[in-house]
Amino acid sequence: MNPLDIPILLSGSFGELRSNHFHAGIDIKTLGKEGLHVFAAANGYVSRIKVQQFGYGKAIYITHPNGYTTVYGHLGKFANAIEQYVKSIQYKKENYATGNLYFKKDKFPIKKGEIIAYSGDTGGSGGPHLHYEIRNTATEHVINPLLFGLKVEDTKAPVFQALKVYALSSDARINQQRKSYQIPIKSIGKGKYTAGRITASALIGFGVSVFDRFNKAPNKNGIYSLEMLVNGKRFYYHDVETFSFAESKFLNLHIDYEHFKKYKRRYQKTHKATSNTLSTYEDLINNGKINIQKNLNYAIEIIAKDFEGNLSSLKIPVAGKESNAIFTNQKDTTAYNVIAKNFNKFKQQNVTVAFPKNTFYEDVYLDFNVDKEIAKIHTPTIPLDKSFTLTFNVSKYSEAEKQSLYIANVEYPKYPRYQYTRKKDSTFFITTKILGNYTLLSDTIKPTIKLLYLQDQQWISNAKTLKVKIADIDSGIKNYRATIDGEWILMQYNHKKRILTYNFSDKKLVGSKHIFKIVVSDNVGNTNELSATFFKKQIN
């Protein structure tokens, strides 16, 4: 059943293209509100609960006797019995994050339609909504929830935005040139699109930027399937019916990753890279790569469908024409030749990079340079399969200076991003899957703390919550600890608004005079604290 008691409108579809992964569920709109009832979709039991600052935020996993597990994420609050249990764990650990809590069948049995939680905006949510998943319990593969009878009104066909054609072999030519092109397209109505005629030779492939919309919702969503026909014969097909979390990272090979990193537009390729082992592909001929022969004409058709079967098609005429142009490859002169199957380690000045075997999907000449304290590790336009280690030698700094130093990604110099920096004697290091520019930065500024709706020595008898705003302009907030009268209290952190909230219903206060204290630390150890006295009568 629908996990909400309102009509389903989606802000995110299953298998949608996200950052480094495919979307594993559907995002159901909650009318821009929090606190809507969330219902169990079927009989079962709560098998797992996880509360974390990012990711799914507050999440419930319900295992069902038919072999499936449903997942409900970004929740604001659990149903009473579950909420009390989770809070008891949080207070015992004195930590908002619970880690994974696993349960046997008899702990929290659930009936279909039972209220299990209330919708929210916790974790990595971009706004109030319910993230809803269905998984195969045995394999943990995620499955499109719309296959289970959930109905979303959709009569709109997908929309093609743009087309690219790629030269896929050294002798390939497109319009007499050895490069990839963006090809203009136009809509001729009723879900039909055409592209201008191109000439080509040897091995080529295509990619499309395409999205779908549901009725009554303006946002752009992902499509369900993509197909390519060459002279009426299927060369390529994929759909988003099911996939595993382990293979979701291959999204970066499924799309034109370089174009996305440069221009923020995702092209889904209709040809498959050798290293791409996604299980969503079917009926591929030559991995979707087309070998264009001289003097032959090709009718290429790319078809995009949504879950309801609404389709749009894009037709591309291709003429086989041998190129007379002479091209010579410019030899790469970089000294850092990465052999993908080998362990690779390079050093310049005070910086060392180490790439485990098969970090890269293919061999590459690495652009590695250290200039003015900035380490350039190629450009972030190549996807990586594994993390590499970046190490800075910091022996020239004093102990006091080391304390405030951290490694930052400075791809966008105005907006440096703290990287989890591990410090060991004279070396600092990080592990990351993102190439680009990195440097050492110093943070000597304490986090800021501001009471909201409360002043020292104030009576707040009618207040239901206590709120504090915290921020750090450099390395960012690492942790915080709040107490009332010396006892730890649970404050939920909305990192988007930078607001911590304590609910007075958590504990019964003794007396009317109370001391609130909070200590906040950033990622290099700068610490700030604030204390305030407030008065509150107990209201029954």
Side-chain angles (χ1 to χ4, degrees), residues 333-336 345-354 366-378 390-393 438:
T333 56
T334 173
Y336 306 102
K345 185 176 182 179
F346 309 115
K347 183 178 180 181
Q348 265 207 37
Q349 299 180 31
N350 66 323
V351 177
T352 303
V353 287
L366 192 73
D367 184 5
F368 174 40
N369 185 43
V370 180
D371 183 40
K372 296 179 180 178
E373 304 295 327
I374 295 176
K376 179 180 182 181
I377 321 298
H378 209 75
L390 170 63
T391 303
F392 283 79
N393 186 305
Y438 294 86

Side-chain angles (χ1 to χ4, degrees), residues 153-327:
E153 189 177 337
D154 184 7
T155 59
K156 297 181 178 181
V159 176
F160 283 105
Q161 290 182 294
L163 169 71
K164 280 192 77 173
V165 57
Y166 301 87
L168 299 179
S169 62
S170 59
D171 58 340
R173 303 289 183 266
I174 301 166
N175 293 341
Q176 302 291 310
Q177 300 291 318
R178 190 189 166 200
K179 62 179 182 179
S180 301
Y181 281 95
Q182 289 179 262
I183 305 297
I185 63 174
K186 65 178 180 179
S187 170
I188 56 176
K190 297 183 178 180
K192 297 185 183 299
Y193 297 78
T194 62
R197 177 178 175 271
I198 63 174
T199 63
S201 61
L203 210 59
I204 68 169
F206 290 92
V208 291
S209 173
V210 59
F211 69 86
D212 187 45
R213 279 196 175 105
F214 297 98
N215 296 9
K216 302 176 183 178
N219 48 283
K220 297 176 181 178
N221 296 107
I223 60 172
Y224 177 73
S225 69
L226 193 65
E227 181 180 20
M228 182 178 69
L229 308 179
V230 180
N231 294 334
K233 186 175 184 178
R234 178 188 278 183
F235 261 57
Y236 173 92
Y237 178 82
H238 90 267
D239 62 36
V240 285
E241 181 175 309
T242 181
F243 57 87
S244 71
F245 286 101
E247 63 182 331
S248 191
K249 64 183 178 181
F250 291 115
L251 171 131
N252 289 335
L253 294 179
H254 175 73
I255 66 170
D256 183 337
Y257 186 82
E258 180 178 3
H259 189 99
F260 169 67
K261 296 301 286 187
K262 287 181 177 178
Y263 307 110
K264 305 305 177 186
R265 168 172 279 182
R266 291 184 177 96
Y267 281 87
Q268 300 193 57
K269 295 184 290 190
T270 56
H271 55 280
K272 185 177 82 71
T274 304
S275 301
N276 186 352
T277 59
L278 269 173
S279 63
T280 55
Y281 300 115
E282 299 175 21
D283 302 330
L284 301 186
I285 295 178
N286 198 29
N287 282 333
K289 300 171 184 177
I290 309 164
N291 193 14
I292 303 297
Q293 302 293 318
K294 178 183 177 182
N295 297 328
L296 294 181
N297 292 320
Y298 298 80
I300 312 296
E301 184 177 13
I302 299 176
I303 301 167
K305 292 182 182 179
D306 60 26
F307 182 81
E308 292 297 327
N310 302 304
L311 69 84
S312 292
S313 71
L314 167 60
K315 292 186 176 181
I316 312 145
V318 179
K321 182 177 181 180
E322 193 171 59
S323 174
N324 295 320
I326 298 175
F327 293 86

Side-chain angles (χ1 to χ4, degrees), residues 473-490:
I473 62 173
D474 287 326
S475 61
I477 301 294
K478 181 179 182 180
N479 53 44
Y480 56 88
R481 177 181 172 83
T483 60
I484 291 180
D485 301 334
E487 292 189 7
W488 184 85
I489 59 171
L490 175 66

Side-chain angles (χ1 to χ4, degrees), residues 2 33 55 71 74 152 229 241 282 299 365 428 468-469 473:
N2 184 348
K33 302 176 183 177
V71 184
H74 305 308
V152 183
L229 308 179
E241 181 175 309
E282 299 175 21
Y365 282 98
F428 290 2
V468 180
K469 188 166 187 176
I473 62 173

Side-chain angles (χ1 to χ4, degrees), residues 34 74-76 119-129 494-497:
E34 300 181 46
H74 305 308
L75 302 170
S119 67
D121 185 24
T122 58
S125 167
H129 72 276
N494 184 321
H495 60 88
K496 297 176 282 289
K497 296 180 180 179

Side-chain angles (χ1 to χ4, degrees), residues 7-20:
I8 294 181
L9 293 176
L10 298 187
S11 58
S13 58
F14 181 81
E16 200 166 81
L17 310 180
R18 297 289 177 89
S19 179
N20 302 312

